[in-house]
Short mmCIF file of all heavy atoms in Angstrom, two decimals:
data_model
loop_
_atom_site.label_atom_id
_atom_site.label_comp_id
_atom_site.label_asym_id
_atom_site.label_seq_id
_atom_site.Cartn_x
_atom_site.Cartn_y
_atom_site.Cartn_z
N MET N 144 -39.31 -22.78 6.66
CA MET N 144 -38.83 -22.20 5.39
C MET N 144 -39.45 -22.96 4.22
O MET N 144 -39.39 -24.17 4.16
CB MET N 144 -37.31 -22.30 5.36
CG MET N 144 -36.70 -21.49 4.24
SD MET N 144 -34.96 -21.26 4.52
CE MET N 144 -34.28 -22.48 3.42
N THR N 145 -40.04 -22.25 3.33
CA THR N 145 -40.68 -22.91 2.18
C THR N 145 -39.74 -22.94 0.99
O THR N 145 -38.96 -22.03 0.77
CB THR N 145 -41.98 -22.18 1.80
OG1 THR N 145 -42.50 -22.80 0.64
CG2 THR N 145 -41.76 -20.71 1.55
N LEU N 146 -39.81 -24.01 0.25
CA LEU N 146 -38.97 -24.14 -0.94
C LEU N 146 -39.79 -23.90 -2.20
O LEU N 146 -39.33 -24.11 -3.30
CB LEU N 146 -38.34 -25.52 -1.00
CG LEU N 146 -37.34 -25.79 0.12
CD1 LEU N 146 -36.84 -27.22 0.05
CD2 LEU N 146 -36.15 -24.84 0.04
N GLU N 147 -41.00 -23.45 -1.98
CA GLU N 147 -41.88 -23.19 -3.10
C GLU N 147 -41.26 -22.15 -4.03
O GLU N 147 -40.79 -21.11 -3.59
CB GLU N 147 -43.17 -22.62 -2.53
CG GLU N 147 -44.39 -22.97 -3.33
CD GLU N 147 -45.64 -22.41 -2.66
OE1 GLU N 147 -45.74 -22.57 -1.43
OE2 GLU N 147 -46.44 -21.81 -3.35
N ARG N 148 -41.27 -22.42 -5.29
CA ARG N 148 -40.71 -21.46 -6.25
C ARG N 148 -41.83 -20.76 -6.98
O ARG N 148 -42.71 -21.40 -7.52
CB ARG N 148 -39.80 -22.16 -7.25
CG ARG N 148 -38.62 -22.83 -6.58
CD ARG N 148 -37.59 -23.20 -7.61
NE ARG N 148 -36.96 -22.02 -8.14
CZ ARG N 148 -35.65 -21.83 -8.15
NH1 ARG N 148 -34.86 -22.73 -7.68
NH2 ARG N 148 -35.13 -20.74 -8.64
N THR N 149 -41.75 -19.45 -6.94
CA THR N 149 -42.81 -18.69 -7.60
C THR N 149 -42.30 -18.01 -8.87
O THR N 149 -43.06 -17.44 -9.61
CB THR N 149 -43.36 -17.61 -6.65
OG1 THR N 149 -42.27 -16.83 -6.18
CG2 THR N 149 -44.08 -18.23 -5.47
N LEU N 150 -40.99 -18.13 -9.10
CA LEU N 150 -40.43 -17.49 -10.28
C LEU N 150 -40.11 -18.54 -11.34
O LEU N 150 -39.75 -19.65 -11.03
CB LEU N 150 -39.13 -16.75 -9.93
CG LEU N 150 -39.27 -15.58 -8.96
CD1 LEU N 150 -37.92 -14.97 -8.70
CD2 LEU N 150 -40.22 -14.54 -9.50
N ARG N 151 -40.26 -18.12 -12.57
CA ARG N 151 -39.85 -19.01 -13.65
C ARG N 151 -38.34 -18.99 -13.75
O ARG N 151 -37.72 -17.95 -13.60
CB ARG N 151 -40.44 -18.53 -14.98
CG ARG N 151 -41.93 -18.74 -15.09
CD ARG N 151 -42.46 -17.97 -16.27
NE ARG N 151 -42.26 -16.53 -16.07
CZ ARG N 151 -41.97 -15.67 -17.02
NH1 ARG N 151 -41.86 -16.08 -18.25
NH2 ARG N 151 -41.80 -14.40 -16.76
N ASP N 152 -37.73 -20.11 -14.04
CA ASP N 152 -36.30 -20.13 -14.28
C ASP N 152 -36.07 -19.57 -15.67
O ASP N 152 -36.58 -20.09 -16.64
CB ASP N 152 -35.75 -21.55 -14.21
CG ASP N 152 -35.78 -22.07 -12.79
OD1 ASP N 152 -35.51 -21.29 -11.87
OD2 ASP N 152 -36.08 -23.26 -12.61
N PRO N 153 -35.28 -18.48 -15.75
CA PRO N 153 -35.07 -17.82 -17.04
C PRO N 153 -34.26 -18.67 -18.01
O PRO N 153 -34.57 -18.73 -19.18
CB PRO N 153 -34.33 -16.54 -16.68
CG PRO N 153 -33.76 -16.77 -15.33
CD PRO N 153 -34.61 -17.81 -14.66
N VAL N 154 -33.24 -19.31 -17.50
CA VAL N 154 -32.38 -20.12 -18.37
C VAL N 154 -31.88 -21.32 -17.59
O VAL N 154 -31.84 -21.31 -16.37
CB VAL N 154 -31.14 -19.34 -18.87
CG1 VAL N 154 -31.49 -18.42 -20.02
CG2 VAL N 154 -30.51 -18.57 -17.73
N GLN N 155 -31.50 -22.34 -18.29
CA GLN N 155 -30.89 -23.50 -17.65
C GLN N 155 -29.38 -23.35 -17.73
O GLN N 155 -28.81 -23.36 -18.81
CB GLN N 155 -31.32 -24.79 -18.37
CG GLN N 155 -32.80 -25.09 -18.23
CD GLN N 155 -33.21 -25.40 -16.80
OE1 GLN N 155 -32.45 -26.01 -16.06
NE2 GLN N 155 -34.38 -24.97 -16.41
N LEU N 156 -28.76 -23.23 -16.58
CA LEU N 156 -27.31 -23.09 -16.54
C LEU N 156 -26.70 -24.36 -15.97
O LEU N 156 -27.27 -24.98 -15.09
CB LEU N 156 -26.90 -21.89 -15.69
CG LEU N 156 -27.36 -20.54 -16.24
CD1 LEU N 156 -27.08 -19.44 -15.23
CD2 LEU N 156 -26.66 -20.24 -17.55
N LEU N 157 -25.53 -24.69 -16.47
CA LEU N 157 -24.88 -25.93 -16.03
C LEU N 157 -23.85 -25.68 -14.94
O LEU N 157 -23.36 -26.62 -14.33
CB LEU N 157 -24.22 -26.62 -17.22
CG LEU N 157 -25.21 -27.07 -18.30
CD1 LEU N 157 -24.47 -27.68 -19.48
CD2 LEU N 157 -26.22 -28.06 -17.75
N ASP N 158 -23.54 -24.44 -14.71
CA ASP N 158 -22.58 -24.11 -13.66
C ASP N 158 -23.15 -24.52 -12.30
O ASP N 158 -24.16 -23.99 -11.88
CB ASP N 158 -22.31 -22.60 -13.69
CG ASP N 158 -21.22 -22.20 -12.70
OD1 ASP N 158 -20.94 -22.97 -11.77
OD2 ASP N 158 -20.67 -21.11 -12.86
N PRO N 159 -22.50 -25.47 -11.62
CA PRO N 159 -23.03 -25.96 -10.34
C PRO N 159 -23.13 -24.87 -9.29
O PRO N 159 -24.02 -24.93 -8.43
CB PRO N 159 -22.04 -27.04 -9.90
CG PRO N 159 -20.94 -27.05 -10.89
CD PRO N 159 -21.27 -26.12 -12.01
N ALA N 160 -22.26 -23.89 -9.34
CA ALA N 160 -22.30 -22.80 -8.37
C ALA N 160 -23.56 -21.97 -8.52
O ALA N 160 -23.98 -21.28 -7.61
CB ALA N 160 -21.07 -21.91 -8.52
N GLN N 161 -24.16 -22.05 -9.69
CA GLN N 161 -25.35 -21.24 -9.93
C GLN N 161 -26.60 -22.10 -9.98
O GLN N 161 -27.67 -21.64 -10.33
CB GLN N 161 -25.19 -20.49 -11.26
CG GLN N 161 -23.98 -19.58 -11.27
CD GLN N 161 -23.84 -18.85 -12.60
OE1 GLN N 161 -24.40 -19.27 -13.59
NE2 GLN N 161 -23.07 -17.78 -12.61
N TYR N 162 -26.44 -23.36 -9.64
CA TYR N 162 -27.55 -24.29 -9.84
C TYR N 162 -28.71 -24.03 -8.88
O TYR N 162 -29.85 -24.03 -9.29
CB TYR N 162 -27.03 -25.73 -9.69
CG TYR N 162 -28.07 -26.75 -10.03
CD1 TYR N 162 -28.57 -26.86 -11.32
CD2 TYR N 162 -28.56 -27.61 -9.05
CE1 TYR N 162 -29.53 -27.80 -11.64
CE2 TYR N 162 -29.52 -28.54 -9.36
CZ TYR N 162 -30.01 -28.64 -10.66
OH TYR N 162 -30.96 -29.56 -10.96
N VAL N 163 -28.38 -23.83 -7.60
CA VAL N 163 -29.43 -23.60 -6.63
C VAL N 163 -29.48 -22.13 -6.25
O VAL N 163 -28.56 -21.62 -5.63
CB VAL N 163 -29.20 -24.44 -5.36
CG1 VAL N 163 -30.33 -24.20 -4.36
CG2 VAL N 163 -29.09 -25.92 -5.72
N ASP N 164 -30.53 -21.48 -6.66
CA ASP N 164 -30.67 -20.06 -6.36
C ASP N 164 -31.52 -19.84 -5.12
O ASP N 164 -32.48 -20.55 -4.90
CB ASP N 164 -31.39 -19.35 -7.52
CG ASP N 164 -30.47 -19.14 -8.69
OD1 ASP N 164 -29.29 -19.49 -8.59
OD2 ASP N 164 -30.96 -18.63 -9.71
N PRO N 165 -31.15 -18.84 -4.34
CA PRO N 165 -32.06 -18.41 -3.27
C PRO N 165 -33.31 -17.81 -3.94
O PRO N 165 -33.20 -17.18 -4.98
CB PRO N 165 -31.28 -17.32 -2.53
CG PRO N 165 -29.96 -17.20 -3.18
CD PRO N 165 -29.95 -18.01 -4.43
N VAL N 166 -34.45 -18.03 -3.35
CA VAL N 166 -35.69 -17.48 -3.90
C VAL N 166 -35.94 -16.11 -3.30
O VAL N 166 -35.96 -15.96 -2.08
CB VAL N 166 -36.89 -18.40 -3.56
CG1 VAL N 166 -38.18 -17.82 -4.14
CG2 VAL N 166 -36.63 -19.79 -4.10
N PRO N 167 -36.05 -15.07 -4.15
CA PRO N 167 -36.30 -13.73 -3.63
C PRO N 167 -37.58 -13.70 -2.80
O PRO N 167 -38.59 -14.26 -3.22
CB PRO N 167 -36.45 -12.88 -4.89
CG PRO N 167 -35.84 -13.67 -5.98
CD PRO N 167 -36.00 -15.11 -5.61
N THR N 168 -37.53 -13.07 -1.66
CA THR N 168 -38.72 -12.96 -0.82
C THR N 168 -39.66 -11.91 -1.40
O THR N 168 -39.24 -10.78 -1.63
CB THR N 168 -38.32 -12.54 0.60
OG1 THR N 168 -37.39 -13.48 1.11
CG2 THR N 168 -39.54 -12.49 1.52
N PRO N 169 -40.91 -12.30 -1.65
CA PRO N 169 -41.87 -11.33 -2.20
C PRO N 169 -41.99 -10.11 -1.30
O PRO N 169 -42.11 -10.25 -0.09
CB PRO N 169 -43.18 -12.11 -2.24
CG PRO N 169 -42.79 -13.56 -2.24
CD PRO N 169 -41.52 -13.61 -1.43
N GLY N 170 -41.90 -8.93 -1.90
CA GLY N 170 -42.07 -7.71 -1.13
C GLY N 170 -40.80 -7.19 -0.50
O GLY N 170 -40.79 -6.10 0.07
N CYS N 171 -39.69 -7.95 -0.60
CA CYS N 171 -38.43 -7.49 -0.01
C CYS N 171 -37.62 -6.74 -1.06
O CYS N 171 -37.24 -7.31 -2.08
CB CYS N 171 -37.64 -8.67 0.54
SG CYS N 171 -36.04 -8.19 1.21
N ASP N 172 -37.34 -5.48 -0.79
CA ASP N 172 -36.61 -4.64 -1.74
C ASP N 172 -35.19 -5.14 -1.98
O ASP N 172 -34.67 -5.07 -3.08
CB ASP N 172 -36.55 -3.20 -1.24
CG ASP N 172 -37.92 -2.52 -1.32
OD1 ASP N 172 -38.80 -3.05 -2.03
OD2 ASP N 172 -38.09 -1.48 -0.68
N VAL N 173 -34.56 -5.61 -0.92
CA VAL N 173 -33.18 -6.08 -1.04
C VAL N 173 -33.13 -7.31 -1.94
O VAL N 173 -32.30 -7.40 -2.85
CB VAL N 173 -32.58 -6.40 0.35
CG1 VAL N 173 -31.17 -6.93 0.21
CG2 VAL N 173 -32.58 -5.15 1.21
N CYS N 174 -34.03 -8.25 -1.70
CA CYS N 174 -34.10 -9.44 -2.54
C CYS N 174 -34.35 -9.07 -4.00
O CYS N 174 -33.73 -9.60 -4.91
CB CYS N 174 -35.21 -10.38 -2.07
SG CYS N 174 -34.82 -11.25 -0.54
N ALA N 175 -35.27 -8.14 -4.19
CA ALA N 175 -35.63 -7.73 -5.55
C ALA N 175 -34.43 -7.12 -6.27
O ALA N 175 -34.17 -7.41 -7.43
CB ALA N 175 -36.80 -6.75 -5.51
N ALA N 176 -33.69 -6.26 -5.55
CA ALA N 176 -32.53 -5.60 -6.14
C ALA N 176 -31.45 -6.63 -6.47
O ALA N 176 -30.86 -6.59 -7.55
CB ALA N 176 -31.98 -4.55 -5.18
N LEU N 177 -31.22 -7.55 -5.55
CA LEU N 177 -30.20 -8.57 -5.78
C LEU N 177 -30.61 -9.49 -6.93
O LEU N 177 -29.78 -9.87 -7.76
CB LEU N 177 -29.95 -9.38 -4.51
CG LEU N 177 -29.20 -8.63 -3.40
CD1 LEU N 177 -29.22 -9.43 -2.10
CD2 LEU N 177 -27.77 -8.35 -3.81
N ALA N 178 -31.88 -9.84 -6.98
CA ALA N 178 -32.37 -10.71 -8.04
C ALA N 178 -32.19 -10.06 -9.41
O ALA N 178 -31.84 -10.71 -10.39
CB ALA N 178 -33.83 -11.06 -7.80
N ARG N 179 -32.41 -8.75 -9.43
CA ARG N 179 -32.26 -8.01 -10.70
C ARG N 179 -30.79 -7.98 -11.12
O ARG N 179 -30.44 -8.18 -12.27
CB ARG N 179 -32.82 -6.60 -10.55
CG ARG N 179 -32.87 -5.82 -11.85
CD ARG N 179 -33.83 -4.64 -11.75
NE ARG N 179 -33.60 -3.88 -10.53
CZ ARG N 179 -34.53 -3.63 -9.61
NH1 ARG N 179 -35.75 -4.05 -9.77
NH2 ARG N 179 -34.24 -2.95 -8.53
N GLN N 180 -29.92 -7.73 -10.14
CA GLN N 180 -28.47 -7.70 -10.44
C GLN N 180 -27.99 -9.07 -10.90
O GLN N 180 -27.16 -9.19 -11.80
CB GLN N 180 -27.69 -7.29 -9.20
CG GLN N 180 -27.84 -5.83 -8.85
CD GLN N 180 -27.21 -5.51 -7.49
OE1 GLN N 180 -26.17 -6.05 -7.15
NE2 GLN N 180 -27.86 -4.67 -6.71
N LEU N 181 -28.56 -10.11 -10.26
CA LEU N 181 -28.17 -11.47 -10.62
C LEU N 181 -28.57 -11.77 -12.06
O LEU N 181 -27.79 -12.35 -12.82
CB LEU N 181 -28.85 -12.45 -9.66
CG LEU N 181 -28.57 -13.92 -9.88
CD1 LEU N 181 -27.08 -14.22 -9.76
CD2 LEU N 181 -29.35 -14.77 -8.88
N LYS N 182 -29.75 -11.35 -12.42
CA LYS N 182 -30.24 -11.59 -13.76
C LYS N 182 -29.34 -10.89 -14.78
O LYS N 182 -28.97 -11.44 -15.81
CB LYS N 182 -31.68 -11.09 -13.88
CG LYS N 182 -32.38 -11.57 -15.13
CD LYS N 182 -33.80 -11.00 -15.19
CE LYS N 182 -34.39 -11.28 -16.57
NZ LYS N 182 -35.36 -10.27 -16.97
N GLU N 183 -28.96 -9.64 -14.46
CA GLU N 183 -28.09 -8.87 -15.35
C GLU N 183 -26.72 -9.52 -15.48
O GLU N 183 -26.15 -9.60 -16.56
CB GLU N 183 -27.94 -7.44 -14.83
CG GLU N 183 -29.19 -6.60 -15.00
CD GLU N 183 -29.08 -5.24 -14.32
OE1 GLU N 183 -28.11 -5.02 -13.57
OE2 GLU N 183 -29.95 -4.41 -14.55
N ALA N 184 -26.21 -9.98 -14.34
CA ALA N 184 -24.86 -10.58 -14.34
C ALA N 184 -24.83 -11.88 -15.13
O ALA N 184 -23.78 -12.33 -15.56
CB ALA N 184 -24.40 -10.82 -12.90
N ARG N 185 -26.01 -12.49 -15.31
CA ARG N 185 -26.07 -13.77 -16.03
C ARG N 185 -26.49 -13.63 -17.48
O ARG N 185 -26.55 -14.62 -18.19
CB ARG N 185 -27.07 -14.69 -15.34
CG ARG N 185 -26.51 -15.29 -14.09
CD ARG N 185 -27.54 -16.16 -13.48
NE ARG N 185 -27.03 -16.86 -12.31
CZ ARG N 185 -27.80 -17.55 -11.49
NH1 ARG N 185 -29.08 -17.62 -11.72
NH2 ARG N 185 -27.27 -18.15 -10.47
N GLU N 186 -26.79 -12.43 -17.88
CA GLU N 186 -27.21 -12.21 -19.27
C GLU N 186 -25.97 -12.33 -20.14
O GLU N 186 -25.13 -11.44 -20.15
CB GLU N 186 -27.79 -10.80 -19.38
CG GLU N 186 -28.82 -10.63 -20.47
CD GLU N 186 -30.15 -11.25 -20.10
OE1 GLU N 186 -30.75 -10.85 -19.10
OE2 GLU N 186 -30.56 -12.17 -20.82
N PRO N 187 -25.85 -13.44 -20.88
CA PRO N 187 -24.59 -13.72 -21.59
C PRO N 187 -24.15 -12.61 -22.53
O PRO N 187 -22.97 -12.38 -22.72
CB PRO N 187 -24.92 -14.98 -22.38
CG PRO N 187 -26.06 -15.61 -21.66
CD PRO N 187 -26.85 -14.47 -21.07
N HIS N 188 -25.10 -11.93 -23.13
CA HIS N 188 -24.73 -10.87 -24.05
C HIS N 188 -25.02 -9.49 -23.48
O HIS N 188 -24.99 -8.49 -24.20
CB HIS N 188 -25.46 -11.05 -25.39
CG HIS N 188 -25.20 -12.39 -26.01
ND1 HIS N 188 -23.96 -12.75 -26.51
CD2 HIS N 188 -25.99 -13.48 -26.14
CE1 HIS N 188 -24.03 -13.99 -26.94
NE2 HIS N 188 -25.24 -14.46 -26.73
N GLY N 189 -25.34 -9.46 -22.21
CA GLY N 189 -25.66 -8.18 -21.58
C GLY N 189 -24.42 -7.41 -21.22
O GLY N 189 -23.34 -7.97 -21.09
N PRO N 190 -24.57 -6.09 -21.02
CA PRO N 190 -23.44 -5.21 -20.71
C PRO N 190 -22.85 -5.49 -19.33
O PRO N 190 -21.71 -5.14 -19.06
CB PRO N 190 -24.06 -3.81 -20.75
CG PRO N 190 -25.53 -4.01 -20.54
CD PRO N 190 -25.85 -5.37 -21.12
N LYS N 191 -23.64 -6.13 -18.45
CA LYS N 191 -23.17 -6.36 -17.09
C LYS N 191 -22.83 -7.83 -16.83
O LYS N 191 -22.73 -8.25 -15.69
CB LYS N 191 -24.22 -5.89 -16.08
CG LYS N 191 -24.44 -4.38 -16.14
CD LYS N 191 -25.44 -3.93 -15.10
CE LYS N 191 -25.64 -2.42 -15.16
NZ LYS N 191 -26.73 -1.97 -14.30
N TYR N 192 -22.69 -8.60 -17.90
CA TYR N 192 -22.42 -10.02 -17.73
C TYR N 192 -21.13 -10.24 -16.95
O TYR N 192 -20.08 -9.69 -17.28
CB TYR N 192 -22.31 -10.71 -19.10
CG TYR N 192 -21.97 -12.16 -18.95
CD1 TYR N 192 -22.90 -13.06 -18.45
CD2 TYR N 192 -20.70 -12.64 -19.29
CE1 TYR N 192 -22.60 -14.40 -18.30
CE2 TYR N 192 -20.39 -13.98 -19.13
CZ TYR N 192 -21.34 -14.86 -18.64
OH TYR N 192 -21.03 -16.17 -18.48
N ASP N 193 -21.23 -11.02 -15.88
CA ASP N 193 -20.08 -11.31 -15.03
C ASP N 193 -20.40 -12.54 -14.19
O ASP N 193 -21.12 -12.46 -13.19
CB ASP N 193 -19.80 -10.09 -14.15
CG ASP N 193 -18.51 -10.24 -13.35
OD1 ASP N 193 -18.04 -11.39 -13.16
OD2 ASP N 193 -17.96 -9.22 -12.91
N ALA N 194 -19.87 -13.67 -14.61
CA ALA N 194 -20.22 -14.95 -13.96
C ALA N 194 -19.79 -15.00 -12.51
O ALA N 194 -20.50 -15.52 -11.65
CB ALA N 194 -19.60 -16.11 -14.73
N SER N 195 -18.61 -14.44 -12.21
CA SER N 195 -18.15 -14.51 -10.82
C SER N 195 -18.95 -13.54 -9.94
O SER N 195 -19.22 -13.81 -8.78
CB SER N 195 -16.65 -14.22 -10.73
OG SER N 195 -16.37 -12.89 -11.06
N ARG N 196 -19.35 -12.44 -10.53
CA ARG N 196 -20.22 -11.49 -9.83
C ARG N 196 -21.56 -12.17 -9.53
O ARG N 196 -22.14 -12.00 -8.45
CB ARG N 196 -20.42 -10.25 -10.69
CG ARG N 196 -21.48 -9.28 -10.18
CD ARG N 196 -20.98 -8.41 -9.03
NE ARG N 196 -22.04 -7.52 -8.55
CZ ARG N 196 -22.40 -7.42 -7.26
NH1 ARG N 196 -21.79 -8.12 -6.34
NH2 ARG N 196 -23.36 -6.60 -6.91
N ALA N 197 -22.06 -12.95 -10.48
CA ALA N 197 -23.33 -13.67 -10.29
C ALA N 197 -23.23 -14.60 -9.08
O ALA N 197 -24.14 -14.65 -8.25
CB ALA N 197 -23.69 -14.46 -11.54
N SER N 198 -22.11 -15.32 -8.97
CA SER N 198 -21.92 -16.21 -7.83
C SER N 198 -21.90 -15.41 -6.52
O SER N 198 -22.47 -15.84 -5.52
CB SER N 198 -20.61 -16.98 -7.98
OG SER N 198 -20.64 -17.76 -9.15
N ASP N 199 -21.23 -14.27 -6.56
CA ASP N 199 -21.18 -13.41 -5.37
C ASP N 199 -22.58 -12.96 -4.96
O ASP N 199 -22.89 -12.91 -3.77
CB ASP N 199 -20.32 -12.16 -5.65
CG ASP N 199 -18.84 -12.48 -5.72
OD1 ASP N 199 -18.46 -13.61 -5.36
OD2 ASP N 199 -18.07 -11.61 -6.14
N ILE N 200 -23.38 -12.64 -5.94
CA ILE N 200 -24.73 -12.16 -5.65
C ILE N 200 -25.57 -13.27 -5.01
O ILE N 200 -26.33 -13.01 -4.08
CB ILE N 200 -25.41 -11.63 -6.93
CG1 ILE N 200 -24.68 -10.36 -7.41
CG2 ILE N 200 -26.88 -11.30 -6.66
CD1 ILE N 200 -25.08 -9.92 -8.80
N VAL N 201 -25.39 -14.49 -5.50
CA VAL N 201 -26.11 -15.62 -4.91
C VAL N 201 -25.74 -15.77 -3.44
O VAL N 201 -26.61 -15.92 -2.57
CB VAL N 201 -25.81 -16.93 -5.67
CG1 VAL N 201 -26.34 -18.14 -4.91
CG2 VAL N 201 -26.42 -16.89 -7.06
N VAL N 202 -24.44 -15.68 -3.15
CA VAL N 202 -23.98 -15.77 -1.76
C VAL N 202 -24.55 -14.63 -0.92
O VAL N 202 -25.03 -14.82 0.19
CB VAL N 202 -22.43 -15.73 -1.71
CG1 VAL N 202 -21.93 -15.60 -0.27
CG2 VAL N 202 -21.85 -16.98 -2.36
N GLU N 203 -24.53 -13.45 -1.51
CA GLU N 203 -25.03 -12.25 -0.82
C GLU N 203 -26.53 -12.40 -0.50
O GLU N 203 -26.99 -12.07 0.59
CB GLU N 203 -24.81 -11.04 -1.73
CG GLU N 203 -24.73 -9.72 -1.01
CD GLU N 203 -24.42 -8.58 -1.97
OE1 GLU N 203 -23.61 -8.80 -2.90
OE2 GLU N 203 -24.98 -7.50 -1.81
N MET N 204 -27.28 -12.89 -1.46
CA MET N 204 -28.72 -13.10 -1.28
C MET N 204 -28.99 -14.10 -0.17
O MET N 204 -29.86 -13.90 0.67
CB MET N 204 -29.33 -13.65 -2.57
CG MET N 204 -30.02 -12.59 -3.38
SD MET N 204 -30.69 -13.30 -4.90
CE MET N 204 -32.40 -13.50 -4.46
N ARG N 205 -28.23 -15.17 -0.19
CA ARG N 205 -28.43 -16.22 0.80
C ARG N 205 -28.13 -15.69 2.20
O ARG N 205 -28.86 -15.94 3.15
CB ARG N 205 -27.50 -17.40 0.46
CG ARG N 205 -28.09 -18.72 0.81
CD ARG N 205 -27.29 -19.85 0.18
NE ARG N 205 -27.81 -20.25 -1.12
CZ ARG N 205 -27.05 -20.64 -2.14
NH1 ARG N 205 -25.74 -20.65 -2.02
NH2 ARG N 205 -27.60 -21.02 -3.25
N ARG N 206 -27.03 -14.94 2.29
CA ARG N 206 -26.63 -14.39 3.58
C ARG N 206 -27.66 -13.37 4.06
O ARG N 206 -28.02 -13.34 5.24
CB ARG N 206 -25.25 -13.73 3.44
CG ARG N 206 -24.57 -13.48 4.76
CD ARG N 206 -23.08 -13.30 4.60
NE ARG N 206 -22.77 -12.44 3.46
CZ ARG N 206 -21.65 -12.51 2.75
NH1 ARG N 206 -20.74 -13.41 3.05
NH2 ARG N 206 -21.43 -11.72 1.75
N HIS N 207 -28.12 -12.55 3.15
CA HIS N 207 -29.16 -11.56 3.49
C HIS N 207 -30.41 -12.27 4.00
O HIS N 207 -30.98 -11.88 5.02
CB HIS N 207 -29.48 -10.74 2.24
CG HIS N 207 -30.87 -10.15 2.25
ND1 HIS N 207 -31.24 -9.13 3.10
CD2 HIS N 207 -31.98 -10.47 1.53
CE1 HIS N 207 -32.53 -8.85 2.88
NE2 HIS N 207 -32.99 -9.64 1.95
N GLN N 208 -30.83 -13.32 3.32
CA GLN N 208 -32.07 -14.00 3.70
C GLN N 208 -31.91 -14.73 5.03
O GLN N 208 -32.83 -14.75 5.85
CB GLN N 208 -32.48 -14.99 2.61
CG GLN N 208 -32.95 -14.25 1.35
CD GLN N 208 -33.48 -15.21 0.30
OE1 GLN N 208 -33.15 -16.38 0.28
NE2 GLN N 208 -34.30 -14.68 -0.59
N GLU N 209 -30.74 -15.30 5.25
CA GLU N 209 -30.52 -16.00 6.52
C GLU N 209 -30.42 -15.02 7.68
O GLU N 209 -30.87 -15.29 8.78
CB GLU N 209 -29.24 -16.85 6.43
CG GLU N 209 -29.47 -18.11 5.64
CD GLU N 209 -28.15 -18.82 5.30
OE1 GLU N 209 -27.10 -18.37 5.81
OE2 GLU N 209 -28.19 -19.79 4.55
N GLY N 210 -29.79 -13.87 7.41
CA GLY N 210 -29.59 -12.90 8.47
C GLY N 210 -30.83 -12.09 8.79
O GLY N 210 -31.13 -11.83 9.94
N VAL N 211 -31.55 -11.69 7.73
CA VAL N 211 -32.66 -10.77 7.93
C VAL N 211 -34.00 -11.48 7.97
O VAL N 211 -34.87 -11.12 8.74
CB VAL N 211 -32.68 -9.72 6.79
CG1 VAL N 211 -33.86 -8.77 6.95
CG2 VAL N 211 -31.38 -8.96 6.75
N GLU N 212 -34.11 -12.52 7.15
CA GLU N 212 -35.42 -13.16 7.00
C GLU N 212 -35.43 -14.59 7.52
O GLU N 212 -36.45 -15.25 7.52
CB GLU N 212 -35.81 -13.16 5.53
CG GLU N 212 -35.96 -11.74 5.00
CD GLU N 212 -35.86 -11.70 3.48
OE1 GLU N 212 -35.70 -12.75 2.86
OE2 GLU N 212 -35.92 -10.60 2.93
N GLY N 213 -34.24 -15.08 7.92
CA GLY N 213 -34.15 -16.47 8.35
C GLY N 213 -34.95 -16.73 9.61
O GLY N 213 -35.05 -15.88 10.47
N LYS N 214 -35.51 -17.91 9.69
CA LYS N 214 -36.28 -18.27 10.88
C LYS N 214 -35.77 -19.59 11.44
O LYS N 214 -35.39 -20.43 10.66
CB LYS N 214 -37.74 -18.41 10.52
CG LYS N 214 -38.37 -17.07 10.18
CD LYS N 214 -39.90 -17.17 10.25
CE LYS N 214 -40.54 -15.81 10.20
NZ LYS N 214 -40.44 -15.18 8.91
ZN1 LIG G 83 -34.84 -10.07 1.28
#
């Protein structure tokens, strides 16, 4: 498993639950969709801002990657 990060960190957040993000797998539609939802949920002034939803998405992404893409 590589820890190489290919995405820029959009913002620096201090919430420890959001500190370590799963890295979306390039070419994976599920990762891409979750990453997009995560970004929306973290947009402080966005219409979909929801910090607890953001945490859920991180968990969901991690579980998806471990289950489907984990090696
Ligand atoms: Zn994926």
Side-chain angles (χ1 to χ4, degrees):
M144 191 164 101
T145 176
L146 294 175
E147 211 178 315
R148 298 194 70 126
T149 53
L150 297 179
R151 289 168 296 145
D152 290 322
V154 281
Q155 293 295 324
L156 296 172
L157 297 177
D158 185 341
Q161 300 179 342
Y162 187 65
V163 181
D164 284 357
V166 180
T168 303
C171 177
D172 289 344
V173 178
C174 287
L177 288 170
R179 187 161 48 236
Q180 288 172 38
L181 180 60
K182 193 181 169 209
E183 288 173 350
R185 283 180 175 170
E186 208 75 60
H188 303 292
K191 295 182 180 172
Y192 177 71
D193 187 339
S195 67
R196 171 78 182 128
S198 300
D199 287 349
I200 293 168
V201 169
V202 171
E203 204 176 322
M204 260 179 100
R205 213 167 267 144
R206 196 160 44 208
H207 154 71
Q208 290 185 337
E209 283 168 7
V211 178
E212 297 160 1
K214 291 198 168 71

